[in-house]
Amino acid sequence: MPISLHAPLDMHLHLRDGDMLSRVAPLSAHTFSGALVMPNLVPPVESREDVLQYKSRILEAIGDARFTPYMTLFFKPTYSREFLESVHDDVTAIKLYPAGITTNSEGGVSGFDVEELRPALEAMSDLGIPLCIHGETGGFVMDREAEFVPIYEKLATHFPRLKIIMEHITTKESVEALDRFDNLYATITLHHLIITLDEVAGGMLQPHLFCKPIAKRPEDREALLRVALDAHPKVMFGSDSAPHPREAKECPGCAAGVFTAPIALQLLTELFETNGASLEKLQAFVSGNARQIYHLEPQPKEVVLAKEPFTVPENYDGVVPFYFGTTLDYTVHTVI
Ligand code: NCD
Ligand code: ZN
């Protein structure tokens, strides 16, 4: 029996720019109705002009595909209320990176001083602009996300009207934090529902599974799976699909990022089925919850997945995807 998904949304996506943008954007635009586009370009997206120009480059790259790029700005504590009012109609969220914690995040936040952040975060609360956060400290790599939970809690407490999205959560500590604060939400990637650190580094090192945050322990993956398969109303799918050219992954100093966009819906469908979760839950995880949380009205799109073997290509125009060379249970049959 084919399965239909309606208006899938990817609430955390790296589309890059230039040549890479034209290689990867059509792949997401084919199967998703829309995606929250990350601002960590070089230089980052940090003015209204940057947002509008980047959006028009994305629209040019996807041609006539029915796909909405939901735009984000790179958070700066110096953003004034006037500035935020002026961009509020052009952005769906603002993304905060701790300084230097991941790819192209050098201009991010250090210290997390509430008073320093207050003017911008209160203005965002008043304007209803959600704050997406890459929640990792500079600590030991396996502890970085759990160490960041107190910072999430501090921000959630001081700014109770601010919608805070914990991006690409990988730990049971973050899952537990979700239910302690009304204003905390989360995105979960596909790869963190499938792999642990064992798959990355337990045997031969797998550069195409290396990302930030690094995949954690089996009990963390179990906690993520539990809320994803149950479509907990505060979690939504965000692939964190982060393409890098093959040369930047298969080398000393491998770049962080897993490229999942073109196979995400096929593999999510298989994952939900294998774990006995219903199609309703899958639909909520890949679209319904994000619509509620972000108040989105995505463009209609029906993605029909047939239960036919699909072998994941070795690369998409020089970018190696997650599960390359593996045969999946589902293939994208038609997109209506
Ligand atoms: C992302 C990238 O390459 O831009 N990398 C990653 O490992 N996820 C940045 C990010 O989301 O941390
Ligand atoms: Zn990301």
Side-chain angles (χ1 to χ4, degrees):
M1 263 274 283
I3 278 176
S4 283
L5 292 175
H6 296 275
L9 295 169
D10 180 350
M11 298 313 290
H12 184 130
L13 177 65
H14 297 272
L15 284 177
R16 313 300 192 206
D17 211 345
D19 169 55
M20 184 60 90
L21 170 64
S22 55
R23 286 193 255 172
V24 300
L27 300 169
S28 286
H30 178 51
T31 51
F32 287 90
S33 265
L36 192 74
V37 181
M38 293 298 119
N40 62 332
L41 304 181
V42 186
V45 179
E46 51 185 38
S47 69
R48 181 163 183 267
E49 220 27 50
D50 291 345
V51 169
L52 298 179
Q53 288 177 2
Y54 186 33
K55 185 172 183 176
S56 73
R57 294 196 297 278
I58 295 169
L59 293 175
E60 196 184 314
I62 63 172
D64 54 12
R66 241 178 306 125
F67 174 82
T68 307
Y70 298 108
M71 303 305 291
T72 63
L73 270 175
F74 189 103
F75 180 84
K76 295 275 182 188
T78 48
Y79 285 155
S80 67
R81 181 173 290 265
E82 295 66 38
F83 169 72
L84 292 165
E85 278 167 1
S86 76
V87 291
H88 149 250
D89 288 340
D90 304 306
V91 300
T92 300
I94 298 184
K95 175 74 186 284
L96 185 157
Y97 291 91
I101 207 67
T102 190
T103 315
N104 307 335
S105 63
E106 289 69 26
V109 170
S110 313
F112 290 90
D113 177 63
V114 168
E115 292 319 312
E116 187 196 351
L117 299 172
R118 185 176 298 283
L121 296 189
E122 283 196 339
M124 286 172 63
S125 307
D126 293 341
L127 293 164
I129 306 175
L131 179 71
C132 301
I133 302 184
H134 182 120
E136 288 194 284
T137 67
F140 178 65
V141 66
M142 288 293 279
D143 297 337
R144 287 175 187 175
E145 185 175 300
E147 285 175 3
F148 199 89
V149 169
I151 302 178
Y152 280 132
E153 297 187 340
K154 178 167 83 170
L155 296 176
T157 306
H158 281 89
F159 305 100
R161 293 175 299 117
L162 180 66
K163 219 166 234 189
I164 299 173
I165 326 287
M166 304 186 284
E167 292 297 329
H168 44 50
I169 58 170
T170 59
T171 59
K172 60 181 175 15
E173 285 80 2
S174 298
V175 170
E176 286 158 11
L178 265 180
D179 290 323
R180 284 204 298 274
F181 293 87
D182 285 348
N183 56 334
L184 280 186
Y185 301 82
T187 56
I188 300 181
T189 74
L190 168 64
H191 49 285
H192 291 122
L193 291 173
I194 295 180
I195 63 169
T196 66
L197 185 61
D198 247 11
E199 280 75 30
V200 185
M204 304 254 280
L205 188 65
Q206 301 300 322
H208 299 290
L209 302 182
F210 172 63
C211 67
K212 305 280 178 77
I214 194 90
K216 304 289 187 316
R217 307 180 64 85
E219 54 270 35
D220 295 306
R221 193 185 62 122
E222 289 309 313
L224 299 172
L225 259 178
R226 209 169 47 245
V227 284
L229 295 172
D230 194 36
H232 183 301
K234 293 173 92 185
V235 307
M236 45 198 160
F237 175 61
S239 70
D240 194 17
S241 180
H244 292 278
R246 182 201 279 270
E247 322 74 83
K249 295 289 289 175
E250 297 179 4
C251 61
C254 159
V258 178
F259 180 51
T260 52
I263 56 127
L265 294 179
Q266 300 89 318
L267 196 44
L268 275 171
T269 304
E270 180 174 331
L271 183 74
F272 272 60
E273 184 179 87
T274 312
N275 284 281
S278 69
L279 180 57
E280 286 67 34
K281 296 289 185 189
L282 176 59
Q283 178 65 43
F285 181 62
V286 298
S287 182
N289 289 358
R291 290 169 79 143
Q292 295 282 333
I293 294 167
Y294 277 102
H295 308 298
L296 302 176
E297 265 309 323
Q299 307 196 48
K301 183 173 276 191
E302 183 181 347
V303 181
V304 182
L305 294 129
K307 199 158 189 183
E308 285 166 16
F310 164 63
T311 302
V312 179
E314 294 289 327
N315 71 84
Y316 286 87
D317 211 352
V319 187
V320 179
F322 186 58
Y323 266 39
F324 63 93
T326 307
T327 300
L328 308 181
D329 288 354
Y330 280 92
T331 190
V332 172
H333 185 264
T334 33
V335 180
I336 306 161

